[in-house]
């Protein structure tokens, strides 16, 4: 027989829940039960993987302390992880015994929360212990209290060893209504829980999502401006012919993976997307800088002087760009 204890308190020295579950663990081990105890506050970054520990368990003890309201964050995270990543078919065969000690008002509500949660998960709920505690030492030195706790441990042993049958509850029906539209296999849920607990993986995913969101947002903006034609059309509209002028520009919009070839010969403009490494000016700039130039908020020469554009080639041709293309006029 294997029983897991999940402690959701903060591990304070005077926490009465600790004294209770330690006594229960002691009695169960005397009855040759394999007991594994998990202090959630110690493994807060790995709580999402804890449903994996339910695989071999015949029963669980969920223990928490009400310090001001409810079951506390650590226990809530564990139950959330069970709902999201736990093997529901396995949980359905596991007995749960709630242990709630309170140093303030609300132990019965917290007790009911644990019961409701486990039933919605599909598991079997049994009678546990709940009490208001003014002095935690009472559970260590009061013989009558100690006897109650010992008997509860023996009851847990009998219930699990005899595979007691539990009557159904309405929460079972609620579980069916709350099922996600996407159902993962136990193997998929296990893998997902490992990914979620990997902080480096989560941060990488967040970064990827942000980059994708930015990409799609920019794509929508580009589409609204005319798509790829935007990069050439704005230049064609602003072109002011000058007789006898010959110049070529190769503009690399670095962050958009776009490149524009601008050829001016004898007062005529040839502007297209493409590559021309031997242009008079090979310039590299960001989309934001390109937008500022074509909107008349910055000149090509000024962008070069401020470092927003890096260029190589015949630098005398840079100033000529602002004479050939007059934006915002």
């Amino acid at each position: 027989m294997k029983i897991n204890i999940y402690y959701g308190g903060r591990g304070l020295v005077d926490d009465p829940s600790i004294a209770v579950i330690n006594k229960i663990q002691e009695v169960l081990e005397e009855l040759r039960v394999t007991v594994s105890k998990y202090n959630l506050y110690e493994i807060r970054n790995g709580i999402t993987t804890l449903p994996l520990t339910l695989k071999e368990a015949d029963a669980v003890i969920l223990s928490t302390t009400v310090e001001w309201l409810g079951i506390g964050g650590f226990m809530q995270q564990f139950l959330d992880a069970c709902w999201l990543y736990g093997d529901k078919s396995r949980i359905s065969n596991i007995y749960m015994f709630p242990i709630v000690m309170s140093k303030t008002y609300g132990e019965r509500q917290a007790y009911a929360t644990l019961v409701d949660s486990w039933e919605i998960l599909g598991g079997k709920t049994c009678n546990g212990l709940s009490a208001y505690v003014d002095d935690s030492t009472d559970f260590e030195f009061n013989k009558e209290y100690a006897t109650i706790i010992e008997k509860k441990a023996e009851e847990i042993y009998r219930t699990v060893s005899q595979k007691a049958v539990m009557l159904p509850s309405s929460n079972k029906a609620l579980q069916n209504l709350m099922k996600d539209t996407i159902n993962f296999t136990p193997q998929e849920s296990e893998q997902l829980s490992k990914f979620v607990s990997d902080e480096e993986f989560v941060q990488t995913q967040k970064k990827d999502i942000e980059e994708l969101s930015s990409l799609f947002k920019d794509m929508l903006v580009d589409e609204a401006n005319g798509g790829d034609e935007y990069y050439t059309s704005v230049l064609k509209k602003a072109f002011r012919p000058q007789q006898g002028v010959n110049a070529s520009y190769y503009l690399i919009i670095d962050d958009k993976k776009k490149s524009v070839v601008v050829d001016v010969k004898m007062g005529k403009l040839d502007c297209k997307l493409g590559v021309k490494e031997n242009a008079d000016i090979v310039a590299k700039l960001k989309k934001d800088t390109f937008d500022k130039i074509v909107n008349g908020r910055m000149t090509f020469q000024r962008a070069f002087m401020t470092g927003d554009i890096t260029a190589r080639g015949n630098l005398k041709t840079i100033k000529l760009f602002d004479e050939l293309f007059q934006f915002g006029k």
Side-chain angles (χ1 to χ4, degrees), residues 10-11 13 17 31 39 44 50 53 72-73 98 120-121 127 159 187 243-244 314:
R10 295 189 295 147
V13 176
S17 294
L31 295 170
N39 295 321
R44 62 187 70 186
L50 280 182
T53 61
I120 292 173
L121 287 169
N127 292 327
T159 300
Q187 293 76 19
Q243 293 297 327
N314 185 0

Side-chain angles (χ1 to χ4, degrees), residues 14-203:
D14 62 343
D15 189 337
S17 294
I18 295 177
V20 174
I21 58 178
N22 284 346
K23 186 64 177 178
I24 290 176
Q25 181 176 357
E26 179 185 333
V27 174
L28 290 174
E29 288 177 344
E30 288 176 358
L31 295 170
R32 297 187 178 181
V33 175
T34 301
V35 180
S36 297
K37 181 181 176 184
Y38 300 91
N39 295 321
L40 304 185
Y41 70 93
E42 292 179 343
I43 47 178
R44 62 187 70 186
N45 293 329
I47 288 179
T48 54
T49 62
L50 280 182
L52 303 179
T53 61
L54 297 172
K55 283 185 174 181
E56 306 300 326
D58 298 297
V60 298
I61 295 172
L62 302 185
S63 175
T64 190
T65 304
V66 180
E67 295 182 4
W68 73 284
L69 181 69
I71 62 175
F74 296 135
M75 183 58 70
Q76 186 64 61
Q77 287 181 51
F78 172 67
L79 292 170
D80 286 345
C82 290
W83 175 256
L84 293 171
Y85 315 116
D87 182 351
K88 305 300 192 302
S89 61
R90 182 70 192 90
I91 292 175
S92 65
N93 295 315
I94 299 177
Y95 296 91
M96 189 280 289
F97 300 86
I99 304 293
V100 179
M101 298 294 116
S102 173
K103 303 186 76 172
T104 182
Y105 173 81
E107 73 279 2
R108 293 184 180 180
Q109 288 83 347
Y111 182 98
T113 298
L114 293 179
V115 171
D116 289 344
S117 299
W118 197 254
E119 287 182 347
I120 292 173
L121 287 169
K124 303 175 181 179
T125 56
C126 308
N127 292 327
L129 291 173
S130 68
Y132 165 78
V133 181
D134 183 44
D135 185 355
S136 59
T137 59
D138 287 345
F139 287 93
E140 297 181 42
F141 304 109
N142 187 305
K143 292 184 179 180
E144 292 180 345
Y145 289 168
T147 300
I148 293 174
I149 297 171
E150 289 174 3
K151 287 184 177 179
K152 177 55 64 177
E154 293 169 358
E155 180 186 328
I156 292 172
Y157 174 78
R158 286 194 301 271
T159 300
V160 179
S161 61
Q162 295 173 9
K163 299 186 183 300
V165 177
M166 302 287 108
L167 292 173
S169 71
S170 59
N171 282 332
K172 189 72 175 180
L174 183 59
Q175 179 203 27
N176 295 327
L177 293 173
M178 294 178 65
K179 282 183 178 177
D180 294 329
T181 54
I182 300 177
N183 294 314
F184 296 106
T185 65
Q187 293 76 19
E188 289 171 335
S189 296
E190 178 177 335
Q191 192 64 43
L192 185 59
S193 68
K194 291 179 180 178
F195 284 148
V196 173
S197 66
D198 187 339
E199 185 63 25
E200 183 177 349
F201 174 81
V202 171
Q203 293 304 320

